Amino acid sequence: MCAVLAMAALAGSRLPAAGAAGGATNPVAGRPWGIYEGSGDGLWPAYEHSGGRTHRLLGRMALHARVRSYGSWISTGDVGNVIAKDIAQEQDGNPDVLVWIEIFRLWPHQEAANHEPLSKADQQAYRDWIDAAARGIGSAPVGIVLEPDLPLTLVSWGPKVRARLARYAAKVLSALPNATVYLDGGSADWLPVSQLVKLLEAAGVRYTRGFDLGASHHDSTAAEIRYGRAVATGLGHDGFSGKHFVVDTSDNGQPYTNKQFYAKYPKPRHNANNPPACKTMSQRVCVSLGVPPTTDVANAKWRLPARVAKAASRYVDAFVWIGHPWKINNGHDFNLQHALDAARTDPFF
């Protein structure tokens, strides 16, 4: 079964389509979202070659739009072609299909080397890479999550340099004719609102539709919405009004903060970037699927408090899947049992 038909079948029995609501002013609503069928994240091949209950559980993930990540592991010479090829696969001949991508290029030596200086050559390489990625996107309709873990720049080498680079990317990518860009804002359990407002302003939020939240943490959707509303309000007070945001709901079906994680799984043995999957519906501080990707953000199915749902209607463009609850080892390796556990404990199925 092709992905489009399979997704329609799943949505018809369970969930609204990705663009079911959101209003005429929401640039990511009112059009279909693409589904990645490549082997890059391990999920689609596992789904395609499985059967029975395993097939059904993997379908809860594989048949939804997922944000594809592109970073320094792809060369400047290759990134444009790689992105263009993935967009073509997800669109499957329909140029109206919107494709979600993540640009993760601010850490050329990976985040563990965040204190290493970026030379002038490194900085020019960043700009060249962004230019190449932009050429690969071209006029395709895309939603872009820009530079996940941006708050890490504040405790890294050259915060102002990295902010300037992110600002360059925000300007270049936002200038594409059909791109909607969301600059990463971390999570509700990371920076104080005032600090994030200043960071987003320095990193070019003026050019973007707004920001994204929850990409690498697991706080609740309601907490992210409350936090995002406060951030959007703060941006408005500084002259950047009308900013919206998206929330990663891929892996927060049983939400927790990083503080709660380390209270249960102390350092240095455990890593919040490599959490266990939930084994039962009653287990906490573990990963399970969250709200499916959708622009119908205030639907009663998501069990948001009334005031939070109202805020979502005003500020939130979409719930998207940026995380990879089918992977372990900091999101590097597909793991079938982890994927099945995360799907089986999905509270929204």
Side-chain angles (χ1 to χ4, degrees):
M1 181 183 293
C2 75
V4 174
L5 293 178
M7 184 178 180
L10 181 65
S13 62
R14 175 192 170 200
L15 301 169
T25 60
N26 183 348
V28 300
R31 64 168 74 227
W33 291 358
I35 297 175
Y36 178 67
E37 297 181 20
S39 60
D41 63 2
L43 179 57
W44 187 263
Y47 167 73
E48 193 173 33
H49 295 104
S50 63
R53 187 167 184 264
T54 295
H55 190 72
R56 292 192 295 274
L57 287 172
L58 292 178
R60 298 184 188 180
M61 296 174 283
L63 298 177
H64 286 304
R66 312 189 297 285
V67 181
R68 288 280 297 150
S69 186
Y70 304 88
S72 59
W73 57 91
I74 307 173
S75 72
T76 299
D78 290 340
V79 66
N81 289 334
V82 171
I83 290 177
K85 182 178 178 180
D86 284 348
I87 289 173
Q89 179 268 297
E90 292 198 31
Q91 288 187 327
D92 194 24
N94 181 357
D96 191 50
V97 168
L98 182 140
V99 176
W100 283 96
I101 69 175
E102 173 186 84
I103 298 297
F104 187 52
R105 182 56 178 78
L106 204 52
W107 314 97
H109 312 298
Q110 305 304 317
E111 290 182 345
N114 64 308
H115 292 296
E116 290 186 11
L118 297 181
S119 67
K120 294 294 185 182
D122 289 332
Q123 295 171 45
Q124 186 58 49
Y126 179 90
R127 292 188 286 268
D128 292 342
W129 192 98
I130 292 297
D131 291 344
R135 289 192 294 270
I137 295 168
S139 61
V142 293
I144 301 176
V145 174
L146 182 57
E147 297 299 357
D149 287 349
L150 184 68
L152 185 61
T153 61
L154 298 178
V155 291
S156 302
W157 176 88
K160 292 183 179 179
V161 171
R162 294 185 195 270
R164 187 164 62 247
L165 292 174
R167 188 163 66 244
Y168 178 86
K171 184 176 182 179
V172 168
L173 296 172
S174 294
L176 295 173
N178 294 304
T180 304
V181 181
Y182 300 91
L183 189 60
D184 187 69
S187 178
D189 64 334
W190 199 335
L191 295 179
V193 168
S194 59
Q195 196 172 12
L196 178 57
V197 166
K198 295 305 180 186
L199 175 59
L200 291 174
E201 291 171 357
V205 76
R206 72 183 67 183
Y207 301 114
T208 71
R209 168 73 174 174
F211 52 96
D212 69 272
L213 295 172
S216 58
H217 287 207
H218 301 79
D219 209 347
S220 72
T221 301
E224 301 291 9
I225 293 170
R226 294 188 187 100
Y227 179 72
R229 174 181 58 192
V231 171
T233 300
L235 289 169
H237 288 162
D238 286 353
F240 302 101
S241 60
K243 297 301 177 182
H244 291 71
F245 59 98
V246 296
V247 177
D248 175 29
T249 57
S250 63
D251 49 15
N252 67 345
Q254 303 293 350
Y256 60 87
T257 64
N258 272 22
K259 182 178 180 180
Q260 290 170 327
F261 179 88
Y262 283 120
K264 184 169 183 177
Y265 308 106
K267 296 180 180 179
R269 182 179 176 186
H270 298 282
N271 185 339
N273 291 323
N274 194 28
C278 297
K279 299 290 187 180
T280 68
M281 295 295 290
S282 60
Q283 187 179 350
R284 295 295 180 266
V285 193
C286 53
V287 170
S288 69
L289 297 185
V291 176
T294 185
T295 56
D296 192 9
V297 295
N299 195 303
K301 291 181 180 180
W302 318 141
R303 304 172 212 151
L304 297 171
R307 292 185 65 182
V308 175
K310 183 177 180 180
S313 295
R314 178 176 178 182
Y315 294 103
V316 180
D317 282 346
F319 298 142
V320 295
W321 279 10
I322 305 171
H324 304 94
W326 46 89
K327 290 184 176 183
I328 59 171
N329 297 329
N330 295 328
H332 292 159
D333 304 322
F334 176 80
N335 184 277
L336 179 61
Q337 191 58 55
H338 196 275
L340 295 176
D341 288 341
R344 188 165 43 80
T345 55
D346 175 3
F348 297 101
F349 185 78

